[in-house]
C-alpha cells in the first residue's frame, strides 16, 4: 500500500481511522454514561442512588488508568492495529453482557473487567501513539485533529442512543450498539491502520524541526533514556499529572451529571442527549484550535485559557435555571475539555519523544484515573443537599490550583535538554536552531 496518493500522505488515512474508532468507543461509553445513569436510576431491577450509580464511571476510569502503564508499553512494542481490534471486541462483549444484567454490582464488574480494557486499547492512548509515530513537524496539529474523534462520537452517538432508549429500551439498545461496534471498527482498522511509517518504508511527515523530533524515531536511544525511573524523576511529568488531573476531574464531574442536572431543571429526558451533543460538538473545533496553537504558542497560555473557560462553565451552572443557561455552560465546558487531549499529547511527545509516548501516556493513566472520584463526590453532594450548587462551587474553586500549577510547567523542558545530551553521547548533533 503506497504511503502517498498524489499529494496525500498516508498518515492522514491513519488519522481518519483513529477518529472513527475513538468516536464510536467514547460515544457509547463515557459520553453516554450520563444517559445510562438516568436509565439505571429508574430501572426497578437496579436500585441505586446518584452517588452509587456514578461508581460505574469511577471504576471505569480508575481501572483503565491503572492498567494503562502495562498496555501503554504494549502499544510501543506490539502491533497497535491488533490491540485496537481486541479492545473493540472486548468493549462490545461488555455492552452485550450489560444488557442482561439484573443488579448494579454486575454492571460494575463489567466496567472494571471489560470496558476498561477497551477504553485503553481502542481509545486516545492508541490513537495518539499512532499519530506520534506518523508525524513530526505537524504533530501538534495532527494530535488536535485526531482527538476530535472522541468529540465527534460524543456529538453524534448520544443522540442516537437517546432515540434507541426511547424506542427499544436500554437493554435492547445495548445489544444493537455491541453489534455496531464490531462491524464499524474492526474491518477499517485491519484494512487501513499501519503501526508506523517504517511499515511502508517512509519517514514521518513532515520532517520535524524540534530537537525532540531528531531522535523521536530512534527507539533504542529513547527507550534507554526514558526508563520508568527516569520518567518519574522528570519534573515536567509531575506538573503534567497535576494539571491534567484537575482538568479531567472538573470535566468528568460536570459531564457525568448532565442528565441528572437536566432532570432537576425539569428538562424533558428526550432533550438530555442534546446537551451532551452540544458540549461534545464544541470540543471538535476546540481540539483542532488547541492542536494548531500548541505548535505555535507557549502551552501554558493555552492551559490558562482552558482554565478560564472551565471557570465560566462552573459559574453559569451556579446560576443556571433554564435550558439556555445550561446550554451556555455546556459550550464553555466543551472548549475547556477540548484542550485536554491535544495539549497533553503535545506536551508528552515534545518532551519525551515518539517512541516513549505510549509508555509516558500509560504512566499518566493512574494519576488521571483518580479524576473518576470527582463525579461520585458531586453525586454525594446532590444526595445530601438535594441540589448541585455546592458541587459546582467546589469545581469553581478547583480551578485556582490548576492555574497556579501550570506556572511551574517548564516551557522548553529539562526533558528536551536531557534528550539532546543523550543524543550527543550517541554521536548525534542536535540542531542548534531549536
Amino acid at each position: 500500500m503506497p504511503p502517498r496518493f498524489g499529494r496525500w500522505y498516508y498518515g492522514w488515512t491513519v488519522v481518519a481511522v483513529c477518529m472513527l474508532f475513538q468516536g464510536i468507543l467514547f460515544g457509547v461509553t463515557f459520553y453516554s454514561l450520563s444517559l445510562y445513569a438516568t436509565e439505571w436510576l429508574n430501572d426497578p431491577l437496579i436500585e441505586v442512588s446518584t452517588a452509587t450509580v456514578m461508581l460505574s464511571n469511577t471504576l471505569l476510569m480508575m481501572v483503565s488508568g491503572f492498567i494503562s502503564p502495562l498496555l501503554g508499553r504494549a502499544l510501543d512494542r506490539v502491533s497497535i492495529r491488533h490491540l485496537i481490534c481486541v479492545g473493540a471486541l472486548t468493549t462490545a462483549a461488555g455492552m452485550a453482557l450489560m444488557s442482561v444484567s439484573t443488579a448494579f454490582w454486575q454492571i460494575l464488574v463489567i466496567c472494571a473487567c471489560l470496558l476498561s480494557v477497551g477504553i485503553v486499547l481502542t481509545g486516545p492512548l492508541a490513537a495518539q501513539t499512532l499519530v506520534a509515530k506518523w508525524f513530526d513537524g505537524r504533530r501538534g496539529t495532527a494530535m488536535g485533529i485526531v482527538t476530535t474523534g472522541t468529540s465527534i462520537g460524543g456529538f453524534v452517538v448520544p443522540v442516537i442512543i437517546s432515540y434507541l432508549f426511547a424506542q427499544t429500551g436500554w437493554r435492547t439498545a445495548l445489544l444493537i450498539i455491541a453489534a455496531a461496534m464490531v462491524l464499524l471498527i474492526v474491518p477499517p482498522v485491519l484494512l487501513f491502520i499501519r503501526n508506523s511509517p517504517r511499515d511502508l518504508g517512509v519517514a514521518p511527515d513532515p520532517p520535524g524541526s524540534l530537537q525532540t523530533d531528531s531522535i523521536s524515531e530512534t527507539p533504542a536511544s529513547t527507550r534507554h533514556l526514558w526508563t520508568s525511573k527516569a520518567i518519574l524523576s522528570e519534573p515536567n511529568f509531575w506538573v503534567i499529572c497535576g494539571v491534567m488531573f484537575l482538568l479531567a476531574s472538573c470535566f468528568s464531574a460536570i459531564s457525568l451529571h448532565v442528565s441528572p442536572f437536566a432532570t432537576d431543571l425539569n428538562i424533558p429526558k428526550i432533550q438530555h442527549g442534546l446537551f451532551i451533543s452540544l458540549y461534545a460538538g464544541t470540543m471538535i473545533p476546540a481540539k483542532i484550535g488547541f492542536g494548531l496553537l500548541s505548535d505555535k504558542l507557549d502551552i501554558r497560555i493555552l492551559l490558562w485559557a482552558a482554565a478560564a473557560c472551565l471557570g465560566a462553565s462552573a459559574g453559569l451552572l451556579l446560576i443556571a435555571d433554564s435550558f439556555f443557561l445550561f446550554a451556555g455552560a455546556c459550550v464553555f465546558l466543551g472548549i475547556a475539555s477540548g484542550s485536554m487531549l491535544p495539549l497533553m499529547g503535545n506536551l508528552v511527545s515534545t518532551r519525551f519523544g515518539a517512541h516513549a509516548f505510549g509508555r509516558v501516556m500509560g504512566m499518566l493513566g493512574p494519576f488521571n484515573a483518580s479524576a473518576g472520584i470527582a463525579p461520585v463526590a458531586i453525586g454525594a453532594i446532590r444526595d445530601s443537599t438535594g441540589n448541585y450548587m455546592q458541587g459546582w462551587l467546589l469545581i469553581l474553586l478547583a480551578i485556582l490550583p490548576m492555574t497556579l500549577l501550570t506556572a511551574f510547567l517548564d516551557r522548553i523542558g529539562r526533558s528536551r535538554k536531557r534528550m539532546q545530551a543523550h543524543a550527543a553521547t550517541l554521536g548525534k548533533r542536535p540542531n542548534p536552531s531549536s
Side-chain angles (χ1 to χ4, degrees), residues 236-250 303-304 306-307 310 340 343-344 347 368 398 401-409:
N236 278 325
F237 175 81
W238 294 104
V239 176
I240 295 170
C241 278
V243 172
M244 292 302 165
F245 163 74
L246 290 169
L247 184 57
S249 294
C250 294
L303 288 170
W304 284 324
L310 194 58
M340 186 164 57
L343 294 187
M344 181 166 60
L347 281 168
N368 292 338
M402 185 177 78
T403 302
L404 295 176
L405 190 58
T406 299
F408 290 94
L409 181 65

Side-chain angles (χ1 to χ4, degrees), residues 87-101 106-107 110-111 113-115 174 178:
L89 293 171
T90 303
T91 306
M95 302 301 280
L97 289 173
M98 198 179 293
S99 70
V100 295
S101 59
Q106 297 169 357
I107 293 175
I110 293 168
C111 288
C113 297
L114 295 176
L115 299 191
L174 290 188

Side-chain angles (χ1 to χ4, degrees), residues 44-102:
L45 293 178
I46 303 174
E47 298 181 0
V48 290
S49 65
T50 306
T52 303
V53 81
M54 291 301 162
L55 285 174
S56 58
N57 172 75
T58 301
L59 197 59
L60 182 57
M61 288 187 66
M62 296 193 73
V63 174
S64 62
F66 282 103
I67 65 175
S68 61
L70 175 62
L71 297 181
R73 293 183 66 179
L75 290 170
D76 285 333
R77 298 168 182 263
V78 184
S79 172
I80 300 177
R81 63 203 288 259
H82 293 151
L83 292 176
I84 293 169
C85 292
V86 170
L89 293 171
T90 303
T91 306
M95 302 301 280
L97 289 173
M98 198 179 293
S99 70
V100 295
S101 59
T102 57

Side-chain angles (χ1 to χ4, degrees), residues 21-22 26 64 67-76 80 84 119-132 143 150 341 344 357-363 365:
F21 68 70
Q22 286 182 104
F26 264 53
S64 62
I67 65 175
S68 61
L70 175 62
L71 297 181
R73 293 183 66 179
L75 290 170
D76 285 333
I80 300 177
I84 293 169
I119 289 294
V120 178
L121 292 181
T122 318
L125 178 57
Q128 289 182 298
T129 299
L130 283 167
V131 168
M143 287 283 184
T150 60
L341 289 177
M344 181 166 60
F357 187 89
R359 171 177 289 192
V360 177
M361 290 289 282
M363 292 180 67

